[in-house]
Amino acid sequence: MATTISGSVKRPEPQALASAIEALAARFGNRLITSQAVRGQHAHTTTWLPTQPPDAVVMAQETQDIQDVVRICAKHSVPVIAFGTGTSLEGQVNAPAGGICIDLRDMNRILEVHAEDLDCVIQPGVTRKALNEYLRDQGLFFPIDPGADASLGGMASTRASGTNAVRYGTIRDNVLALKVVRGDGEIITTGTRAKKSAAGYDLTHLFSPSSCAAFPRRSPPLPVRSRPCAAPARPRFLPSRPAFRWRGSNCSTPSRSAPAIPIQS
Ligand SMILES: Cc1cc2nc3c(=O)[nH]c(=O)nc-3n(C[C@H](O)[C@H](O)[C@H](O)COP(=O)(O)OP(=O)(O)OC[C@H]3O[C@@H](n4cnc5c(N)ncnc54)[C@H](O)[C@@H]3O)c2cc1C
């Protein structure tokens, strides 16, 4: 008999959960982890709520992994929780009804950087510091800076912001498009690298933020900025592209409505 947690939150039937974990074990082998310690590391809150760990953790490495986890869990009515770097503070990674946690940290590749267009395409597990380390030598940076070194997927999901918000906006202002794995395992793309579109609903900003809804996301392009010239005399900021550097100071407006997060296999 499914256990009612509160209101509509129900733990899955024990048999259904066992069948889901069996199917996941067959598909992922040792990338499916059920140890108490690892489950405990994938759930926490800084609130009065107790830590409620998931029933298992899957270490995702590519898009197909996310789709397969979601499909197996949908078949057995088992909840799914995405996990970026676990720095959220309001209990977002807690698992009140148990379920399967999809850890996205191994999906941490930076796929494309379009310096001329001031955007890039990354996987969801890329952290903000890793992205800036990667962009540094190109005279670029990504300005959204929550206090923790969070994943871009987690930042998109929690609508993160930081000390640069007044000048560069929040993560929501810096997402161009998303690829989202739906609850049936199908993929939708919410936009392109175009800075604006009048086509259809603005799904990108429906999914960012969405930490209330479990839609693991994939493959977003992200805007980047040219690093502000601390000392204009330091021409090393792309001397061959003066427009670029100057755009840096003026580009906050045009590329404010930028970029997009998540993954691309
Ligand atoms: C010291 C400290 C300082 C902080 N300062 C700030 C601050 O200044 N501003 C701010 O906004 N926040 C701040 N935070 C909170 C935290 O860093 C942000 O909430 C951050 O965006 C969480 O990212 P994460 O990768 O750790 O996500 P997680 O904690 O792993 O997940 C957060 C939520 O996003 C979902 N999620 C994660 N990845 C994906 C994905 N790829 N697809 C779909 N859903 C996903 C999870 O299911 C969960 O619901 C701070 C936290 C700490 C510890």
Side-chain angles (χ1 to χ4, degrees):
M1 228 304 287
T3 320
T4 301
I5 310 294
S6 61
S8 62
V9 177
K10 287 190 177 64
R11 285 197 74 83
E13 301 276 349
Q15 186 45 53
L17 179 62
S19 307
I21 289 182
E22 193 185 329
L24 291 168
R27 165 71 174 79
F28 293 100
N30 61 10
R31 287 196 286 134
L32 172 81
I33 305 160
T34 55
S35 73
Q36 180 69 35
V38 171
R39 292 191 296 122
Q41 290 160 3
H42 284 78
H44 60 72
T45 85
T46 57
T47 67
W48 73 93
L49 291 170
T51 293
Q52 297 158 314
D55 296 296
V57 175
V58 172
M59 302 303 293
Q61 290 173 346
E62 56 180 345
T63 315
Q64 193 60 53
D65 292 348
I66 301 170
Q67 291 179 278
D68 292 349
V69 174
V70 168
R71 286 192 174 117
I72 290 170
C73 290
K75 182 177 171 201
H76 299 284
S77 303
V78 170
V80 172
I81 305 124
F83 187 94
T85 47
T87 66
S88 53
L89 301 171
E90 298 84 17
Q92 290 97 329
V93 293
N94 228 18
I100 306 301
C101 172
I102 306 178
D103 187 321
L104 297 156
R105 282 176 291 184
D106 292 341
M107 296 185 72
N108 54 7
R109 286 184 296 134
I110 296 164
L111 304 165
E112 303 161 26
V113 175
H114 306 110
E116 286 69 32
D117 301 329
L118 291 181
D119 66 45
C120 64
V121 180
I122 58 151
Q123 292 191 316
V126 173
T127 67
R128 67 179 186 81
K129 287 186 179 172
L131 178 57
N132 275 319
E133 201 50 46
Y134 186 91
L135 294 170
R136 177 179 297 280
D137 294 346
Q138 303 177 50
L140 302 172
F141 81 114
F142 179 67
I144 312 305
D145 60 338
D149 185 20
S151 74
L152 275 301
M155 288 169 63
S157 191
T158 57
R159 197 175 176 177
S161 61
T163 57
N164 288 328
V166 173
R167 179 162 176 71
Y168 297 109
T170 72
I171 191 75
R172 189 176 184 282
D173 308 305
N174 288 274
V175 173
L176 275 174
L178 295 163
K179 279 191 179 171
V180 174
V181 178
R182 297 187 327 198
D184 60 2
E186 290 305 310
I187 289 174
I188 58 170
T189 301
T190 65
T192 68
R193 288 179 46 232
K195 299 296 187 259
K196 74 165 289 290
S197 165
Y201 293 109
D202 180 3
L203 293 179
T204 302
H205 297 113
L206 173 68
F207 287 110
S208 178
S210 67
S211 55
C212 53
F215 293 96
R217 271 178 296 288
R218 310 167 341 104
S219 73
L222 266 185
V224 291
R225 304 284 187 284
S226 55
R227 291 168 60 78
C229 301
R234 293 167 57 190
R236 68 179 176 82
F237 270 107
L238 305 171
S240 58
R241 297 182 190 166
F244 196 154
R245 183 177 55 199
W246 289 115
R247 268 185 74 200
S249 59
N250 300 327
C251 76
S252 63
T253 313
S255 58
R256 244 176 117 71
S257 57
I261 299 198
I263 7 170
Q264 190 148 22
S265 53

